[in-house]
C-alpha cells in the first residue's frame, strides 16, 4: 500500500498503526539477513510510536499526514538515544543527545520509524560498499549494488520494509540509488529542508530528501519535512507552498530540455539513453514541447565536485578526534591519540577524500584547485540559468548504467565517481532534481530518469514526474 | 598509515587529482567564486539564553570523562 492510502486508512480507524507496523517488521525480518539494508531495526521504539498513534486515533485526534506510516531513516540522521553510526567504526555505538529536525517533523506527522539504514561511510560513495558494516544488496538483484550513498534507504523502500524513507544527497546519493532500485528519489532545492541533525559531509551541497514508491508519496513526505528551521542557518527563510495539492496540474505547455552534455556523455549506456528519449516522448504526448539544450559547464561538474566536496569534508570530519564522542584509540599525547583514532576509525574512501580535500585547500594549491572549482561552480549556475530562460524543466539520465555488480568498481575510485556525472551538477547549483523509475534496461534492471528544475522549482518538477509516472 | 597503504593511495589520489585538475581548462578570469548556493549572509538570532544539550547525556557518550570534563592524554610538552 502507498503511504497516502495507509495514512488515510489509519486516520479513519480502518487499520491500526500497530498492525501496519507488524506487517512491515515481518518483511524486514524475512529479507534483511540477505539484503542488509538496515544497520538497526528500531522495533521497540516503533511499537511505542505506533501505540501512541492508535491512542490518538481512538481519542478522535488526527495523528497527522503520515499517520501510522512506517519510515526508514538513513543512519546519518541523528536520533536521540538511538545509535547513529554513519556506517563508520569511528561512531559505532554512539547515541546522539538530540534528534534531527526532519525526524522530529515526521514523528509529529504520525510516521513510525522502523530502522536506521545502511550507507556508504559518512555518505561518501555510490554503491553502499564503503559501509564499515558490510554492503547492502539490491532487492531487484542481490548480486548487485543498490547504489549509494543512501543504498540502505533505497533498498528498504524497494523491498517493502516501509513505503517511505529519508536519505541525504550531496552528489546524487538519493537519486542514483533510487534509479538503481527502481523507486522515486528527490533531492530538494538546497535550503528547503533543514540539515539540523544531518551529520555533515559537505555543508554547501548536502540535502535530505524522500524515497518513495510513488511521486505522490514523495510529495507527501517532502511537504512534511520542508520549510524553514531556525536551528539551521542555511535553511531558506521564506514559507513553502505544499506540493500535494498541485501534483496533477499536468505539463500542458511545459518546455522540456534534454541536457546534451549529460545525456550524450561517454559512459551513458544505450538502454539508459533510450529511456530518456522515451520519457521525452511521453511528456510531449502529455502536452509539453521537448528540445535539446546545452549546459556546457556541467561537463566539468565531476571535477569541480571532487575538489569542493572533499575540501568541505576534510573540514567537517576534523571533529572526529577521539575527544568528545565515538571511537578513541589511546596515545602518549593528544596528537598521537587523534592520529591513531582516525586511522583505526575511518575507512579507505573517507581517508582518500580527507587527503584530497586537505590538499585542495593547502597553501599554494588553494587557488588552483578549490578556488578554481568554486569559479567553475559559478559557471555551472550561469549555464543552468541560461537554460532555464528557455525551459521549465530539464531531463537527463540519473545513473549512466543500471545497477552494477558488487565489487565491479571497488578497485577503481574514479570509475565509481563517474556514477554521479548526471547528478552532481544539481548539487553544485543548489537546484532541485528527482529520479523517477522509467522502464527496465539490461537484465531487466530498473532505469531512473532525472528531472531537473531551478531552485524552488519543485512544483514543475513534481508535475513532470507525475506525468511520467501516469504513462507507465 | 602503513607503507603499502601509502603507496596504493598515492596512485589513486594521483588519478583522481589529474581528473579534478580538468577544471583549470576553463577560463574563469572574471568569474567570482561561489562558496554557497544561497545568498544568505550573517543569519543571526537574538542573544537570549535557551536550553542546550544535557551535559550528563553528552558526557555519557564521551570516550573518557572526569569531573564534568572530557579527559584526554597530555597536550602540553608533547614530543
Amino acid at each position: 500500500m502507498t503511504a497516502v492510502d495507509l495514512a488515510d486508512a489509519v486516520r479513519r480507524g480502518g487499520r491500526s498503526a500497530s498492525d501496519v507496523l507488524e506487517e512491515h517488521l515481518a518483511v524486514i525480518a524475512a529479507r534483511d539477513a540477505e539484503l542488509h539494508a538496515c544497520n538497526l531495526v528500531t522495533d521497540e521504539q516503533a511499537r511505542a510510536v505506533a501505540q501512541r498513534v492508535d491512542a490518538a486515533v481512538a481519542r478522535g485526534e488526527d495523528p497527522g499526514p503520515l499517520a501510522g506510516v512506517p519510515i526508514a531513516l538513513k543512519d546519518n540522521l541523528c536520533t536521540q538515544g538511538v545509535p547513529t553510526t554513519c556506517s563508520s567504526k569511528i561512531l559505532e555505538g554512539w547515541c546522539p543527545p538530540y534528534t534531527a529536525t526532519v525526524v522530529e517533523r515526521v514523528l509529529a506527522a504520525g510516521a513510525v520509524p522502523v530502522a536506521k539504514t545502511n550507507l556508504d561511510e559518512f555518505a561518501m560513495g555510490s554503491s553502499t560498499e564503503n559501509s564499515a558494516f558490510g554492503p547492502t544488496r539490491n532487492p531487484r538483484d542481490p548480486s548487485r549494488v543498490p547504489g549509494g550513498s543512501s543504498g540502505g534507504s533505497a533498498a528498504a523502500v524497494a523491498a517493502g520494509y516501509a513505503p517511505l524513507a529519508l536519505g541525504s544527497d550531496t552528489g546524487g546519493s538519493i537519486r542514483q540509488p533510487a534509479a538503481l532500485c527502481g523507486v522515486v528519489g528527490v533531492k530538494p532545492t538546497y535550503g528547503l529542508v533543514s540539515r539540523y541533525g544531518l551529520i555533515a559531509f559537505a555543508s554547501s551541497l548536502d540535502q535530505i530528501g524522500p524515497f518513495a514508491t510513488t511521486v505522490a508519496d514523495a510529495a507527501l513526505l517532502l511537504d512534511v519535512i520542508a520549510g524553514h528551521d531556525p536551528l539551521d542557518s542555511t535553511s531558506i527563510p521564506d514559507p513553502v507552498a505544499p506540493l500535494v495539492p498541485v501534483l496533477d496540474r499536468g505539463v500542458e505547455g511545459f518546455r522540456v530540455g534534454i541536457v546534451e552534455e549529460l545525456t550524450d556523455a561517454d559512459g551513458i549506456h544505450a538502454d539508459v539513453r533510450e529511456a530518456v528519449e522515451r520519457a521525452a516522448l511521453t511528456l510531449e504526448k502529455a502536452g509539453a514541447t521537448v528540445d535539446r539544450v546545452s549546459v556546457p559547464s556541467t561537463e566539468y561538474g565531476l571535477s569541480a565536485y571532487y575538489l569542493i566536496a572533499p575540501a568541505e569534508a576534510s573540514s567537517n570530519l576534523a571533529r572526529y578526534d577521539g575527544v568528545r564522542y565515538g571511537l578513541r584509540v589511546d596515545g602518549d599525547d593528544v596528537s598521537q591519540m587523534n592520529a591513531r583514532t582516525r586511522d583505526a576509525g575511518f575507512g579507505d574512501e573517507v581517508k582518500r577524500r580527507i587527503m584530497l580535500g586537505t590538499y585542495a585547500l593547502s597553501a599554494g594549491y588553494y587557488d588552483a584547485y578549490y578556488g578554481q572549482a568554486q569559479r567553475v561552480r559559478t559557471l555551472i549556475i550561469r549555464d543552468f540559468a541560461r537554460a532555464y530562460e528557455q525551459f521549465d524543466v530539464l531531463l537527463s539520465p540519473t545513473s549512466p548504467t543500471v545497477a552494477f555488480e558488487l565489487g565491479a568498481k571497488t578497485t577503481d575510485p574514479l570509475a565509481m565517481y563517474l556514477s554521479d556525472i548526471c547528478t552532481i551538477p544539481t548539487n553544485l547549483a543548489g537546484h532541485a532534481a528527482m529520479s523517477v523509475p522509467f522502464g527496465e534496461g539490461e537484465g531487466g534492471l530498473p532505469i531512473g530518469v532525472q528531472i531537473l528544475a531551478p531552485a524552488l522549482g519543485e512544483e514543475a518538477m513534481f508535475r513532470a514526474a507525475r506525468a511520467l509516472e501516469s504513462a507507465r | 598509515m602503513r607503507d603499502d597503504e601509502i603507496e596504493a593511495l598515492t596512485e589513486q589520489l594521483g588519478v583522481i587529482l589529474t581528473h579534478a585538475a580538468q577544471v583549470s581548462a576553463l577560463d574563469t578570469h572574471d568569474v567570482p567564486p561561489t562558496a554557497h548556493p544561497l545568498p544568505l549572509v550573517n543569519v543571526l538570532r537574538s542573544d537570549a539564553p535557551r536550553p542546550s544539550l544535557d551535559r550528563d547525556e553528552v558526557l555519557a557518550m564521551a570516550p573518557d570523562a572526569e569531573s564534568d570534563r572530557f579527559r584526554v592524554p597530555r597536550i602540553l610538552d608533547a614530543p
Side-chain angles (χ1 to χ4, degrees):
Chain A
M1 260 184 121
T2 65
V4 167
D5 291 339
L6 263 176
D8 202 54
V10 170
R11 204 178 297 119
R12 283 184 290 103
R15 299 198 61 192
S16 82
S18 303
D19 284 348
V20 169
L21 171 63
E22 292 308 322
E23 272 176 27
H24 286 85
L25 289 175
V27 175
I28 297 174
R31 297 203 67 182
D32 209 47
E34 181 189 28
L35 297 178
H36 186 230
C38 303
N39 283 348
L40 181 68
V41 180
T42 51
D43 49 353
E44 269 180 49
Q45 298 89 336
R47 287 188 179 113
V49 172
Q51 276 167 26
R52 284 201 296 274
V53 171
D54 287 333
V57 172
R59 288 193 303 269
E61 291 163 17
D62 181 354
L66 302 179
V69 179
I71 186 168
L73 305 173
K74 187 175 184 180
D75 203 17
N76 59 357
L77 290 167
C78 284
T79 43
Q80 184 172 11
V82 173
T84 302
T85 67
C86 297
S87 287
S88 177
K89 287 191 237 169
I90 220 166
L91 283 180
E92 194 170 7
W94 175 70
C95 296
Y98 65 100
T99 296
T101 294
V102 292
V103 177
E104 300 277 28
R105 287 185 181 184
V106 302
L107 280 168
V112 182
V114 290
K116 301 301 294 292
T117 57
N118 199 13
L119 58 151
D120 281 297
E121 187 179 0
F122 282 107
M124 300 182 189
S126 309
S127 67
T128 311
E129 293 171 293
N130 291 328
S131 166
F133 308 135
T136 295
R137 292 167 181 279
N138 192 317
R140 297 286 290 260
D141 178 344
S143 71
R144 291 175 187 264
V145 302
S149 60
S150 313
S153 283
V157 170
Y161 293 7
L164 300 175
L166 286 177
S168 70
D169 189 312
T170 305
S173 289
I174 289 175
R175 293 161 284 158
Q176 185 255 19
L180 267 49
C181 290
V183 298
V184 177
V186 183
K187 186 205 86 72
T189 300
Y190 183 89
L192 190 66
V193 177
S194 169
R195 292 184 301 112
Y196 179 77
L198 170 68
I199 294 180
F201 159 16
S203 308
S204 79
L205 302 168
D206 293 344
Q207 267 295 273
I208 297 168
F211 283 98
T213 56
T214 68
V215 173
D217 277 4
L220 183 70
L221 178 51
L222 186 52
D223 282 349
V224 167
I225 60 176
H228 178 62
D229 180 16
L231 293 173
D232 176 1
S233 64
T234 62
S235 141
I236 294 172
D238 315 309
V240 186
L243 289 165
V244 166
V246 304
L247 279 181
D248 288 306
R249 285 188 180 169
V251 295
E252 188 68 49
F254 268 33
R255 302 160 301 164
V256 177
I258 300 177
V259 182
E260 285 176 349
E261 287 80 7
L262 301 181
T263 311
D264 298 337
D266 266 346
I268 306 292
H269 277 204
D271 54 348
V272 170
R273 191 173 289 127
E274 197 256 342
V276 175
E277 306 287 348
R278 276 187 299 110
L281 273 173
T282 303
L283 291 173
E284 237 174 12
K285 284 202 201 104
T289 57
V290 177
D291 210 336
R292 294 166 68 76
V293 64
S294 171
V295 189
S297 309
T298 55
E299 243 183 272
Y300 293 86
L302 194 84
S303 306
Y305 177 85
Y306 276 102
L307 292 168
I308 293 172
E312 295 189 4
S314 70
S315 178
N316 280 326
L317 270 65
R319 67 195 64 182
Y320 303 105
D321 54 15
V323 175
R324 289 158 294 168
Y325 34 69
L327 178 74
R328 174 187 291 192
V329 177
D330 274 307
D332 297 336
D333 59 44
V334 88
S335 291
Q336 198 178 68
M337 185 266 282
N338 291 154
R340 287 182 179 174
T341 298
R342 291 161 71 84
D343 185 39
F346 286 145
D348 288 346
E349 184 60 36
V350 170
K351 285 179 179 166
R352 259 191 294 271
R353 296 203 193 187
I354 290 174
M355 280 189 264
L356 261 174
T358 307
Y359 183 71
L361 292 172
S362 60
Y365 296 104
Y366 180 105
D367 217 61
Y369 289 127
Y370 184 69
Q372 178 67 354
Q374 286 190 314
R375 289 187 285 271
V376 170
R377 192 172 183 175
T378 304
L379 288 178
I380 290 173
I381 293 171
R382 285 183 182 175
D383 284 356
F384 268 126
R386 233 169 272 131
Y388 285 122
E389 278 166 21
Q390 297 166 39
F391 295 92
D392 300 299
V393 295
L394 303 177
L395 266 187
S396 83
T398 304
S399 162
T401 67
V402 296
F404 45 92
E405 285 176 357
L406 285 152
K409 304 192 187 201
T410 46
T411 52
D412 186 352
L414 192 59
M416 187 70 85
Y417 294 169
L418 289 165
S419 309
D420 293 329
I421 45 171
C422 296
T423 48
I424 273 171
T426 308
N427 299 85
L428 289 169
H431 292 174
M434 66 191 285
S435 184
V436 179
F438 204 72
E440 271 133 24
E442 291 168 37
L445 292 161
I447 295 178
V449 168
Q450 179 172 236
I451 304 168
L452 301 86
L456 296 177
E458 273 79 0
E459 179 182 330
M461 183 175 77
F462 269 84
R463 283 165 61 176
R466 266 301 281 148
L468 282 185
E469 183 184 62
S470 316
R472 276 183 308 160
Chain B
M1 293 180 61
R2 299 188 317 270
D3 284 340
D4 58 311
E5 272 181 296
I6 294 177
E7 215 181 291
L9 260 167
T10 308
E11 204 190 304
Q12 288 168 343
L13 290 176
V15 169
I16 298 165
L17 259 175
T18 304
H19 184 93
Q22 282 176 24
V23 293
S24 57
L26 287 174
D27 178 12
T28 57
H29 71 276
D30 60 353
V31 180
T34 297
H36 201 266
L38 288 179
L40 295 172
V41 179
N42 293 345
V43 177
L44 304 172
R45 67 174 176 90
S46 65
D47 187 14
R50 296 187 307 199
S52 181
L53 298 176
D54 181 282
R55 181 168 57 195
D56 290 337
E57 204 177 338
V58 170
L59 288 172
M61 278 289 127
D64 193 358
E66 186 183 291
S67 313
D68 290 341
R69 286 170 280 193
F70 298 106
R71 194 160 175 277
V72 296
R74 65 186 173 144
I75 300 168
L76 301 175
D77 298 328

